[in-house]
Amino acid sequence: MAVIKYFGAIAEVTNCNEEQIAVSDLKVSDCLALLNEKYNLNQFDVSVALNQNLVDRDSTIKLSDNDEIALLPPFAGG
Amino acid sequence: MKKVFINGPITPEFIANSIEKHQTKHSIGAHNIFLGQVRADVINDKTVAGIDFTCYEEMAHPILDDIREKAFKTFNLTCMHIYHSLGEIKAGEVCFFVFVSAKHSKEVYAATEYLVNIVKKKVPIFGKEIFEDESHQWKVNKV
């Protein structure tokens, strides 16, 4: 299992801060497609981090157990 | 890992203490300070009462380490501190404090501008703008 973390406006839509996902043969892009189907995330300008590093939304990196994927809305620090 | 995130507003006392702590460092000839303050923007007739900041800290800390390392390489600095608030910060309170020190003034101006811009752009901080009627919208930094 991998963990998916949600932040800001995205966490408001998913109604949770994190959830687990089964990763067998799942790419980053597949994972996002699944989540988009579930939560309609295309409404957001989402950035994706895999293990705390930004990756492309269409990344074909395969997920492994204990990976951490984070879905980040636009940054608003300052 | 240096402390960056502070729960609640950055108080004038905290800022004054930061200045005082540097008075023992006698190679410093110039300090520059940037303070970000929460604005009571009026959007569609509703006034922002405050911003509730959250952060992806596990990702933010390595990014902040890189930012600090690059700033020390680029500018001839003696000292550099970045602080950002988390939680609800009311309009008029300070939520962002960048404090840069060097031998001479020229370096601190350039470094401050660099740090303010890169923190806004690269660090995963999120802001919920809460209106006086308790409705909200999500803040987005203009790039």
Side-chain angles (χ1 to χ4, degrees):
Chain A
M1 300 291 269
V3 63
I4 306 174
K5 292 196 167 188
Y6 305 112
F7 291 89
I10 296 174
E12 199 169 58
V13 167
T14 60
N15 210 18
C16 64
N17 292 323
E18 62 177 73
E19 62 185 322
Q20 304 278 329
I21 189 167
V23 293
S24 61
D25 222 26
L26 200 67
K27 297 175 200 142
V28 170
S29 57
D30 300 331
C31 173
L32 287 178
L34 283 174
L35 296 173
N36 188 42
E37 209 168 289
K38 194 170 171 187
Y39 298 117
N40 187 24
L41 297 177
N42 280 348
Q43 62 183 300
F44 299 107
D45 181 8
V46 185
S47 300
V48 182
L50 174 60
N51 299 326
Q52 296 87 46
N53 292 301
L54 289 177
V55 293
D56 285 340
R57 291 168 60 160
D58 53 4
S59 165
T60 54
I61 298 172
K62 280 196 179 171
L63 297 176
S64 307
D65 279 333
N66 303 319
D67 274 350
E68 182 172 296
I69 303 134
L71 301 194
L72 312 170
F75 300 169
Chain B
M1 194 172 80
K2 284 189 74 167
K3 181 181 164 71
V4 172
F5 297 105
I6 291 176
N7 282 316
I10 296 162
T11 62
E13 291 77 19
F14 181 87
I15 296 161
N17 285 338
S18 299
I19 296 167
E20 192 176 4
K21 278 181 196 159
H22 289 76
Q23 294 190 313
T24 54
K25 299 188 179 183
H26 293 171
S27 65
I28 294 172
H31 297 299
N32 198 29
I33 285 174
F34 174 86
L35 300 175
Q37 176 169 297
V38 173
R39 270 193 320 271
D41 278 351
V42 178
I43 302 160
N44 298 330
D45 295 331
K46 293 197 288 189
T47 304
V48 171
I51 301 178
D52 185 10
F53 287 104
T54 51
C55 174
Y56 183 16
E57 288 202 45
E58 298 92 329
M59 180 173 168
H61 284 294
I63 291 171
L64 285 157
D65 288 344
D66 284 350
I67 289 171
R68 261 192 296 271
E69 196 177 319
K70 184 146 183 257
F72 272 121
K73 272 187 192 157
T74 310
F75 307 98
N76 195 13
L77 302 177
T78 313
C79 247
M80 166 184 9
H81 300 273
I82 301 167
Y83 298 100
H84 201 291
S85 291
L86 296 178
E88 199 172 329
I89 311 304
K90 295 189 188 86
E93 291 180 328
V94 171
C95 60
F96 185 29
F97 173 27
V98 175
F99 184 12
V100 175
S101 311
K103 279 192 170 179
H104 304 288
S105 59
K106 192 178 167 194
E107 295 285 347
V108 292
Y109 290 126
T112 305
E113 187 170 19
Y114 167 80
L115 288 169
V116 168
N117 291 337
I118 203 157
V119 168
K120 285 181 171 219
K121 191 173 170 195
K122 299 271 190 192
V123 183
I125 296 169
F126 314 99
K128 184 158 84 170
E129 290 176 317
I130 299 165
F131 295 107
E132 285 172 345
D133 67 358
E134 294 183 3
S135 61
H136 70 266
Q137 71 169 24
W138 290 90
K139 179 175 179 262
V140 176
N141 279 347
K142 293 182 184 78
V143 181

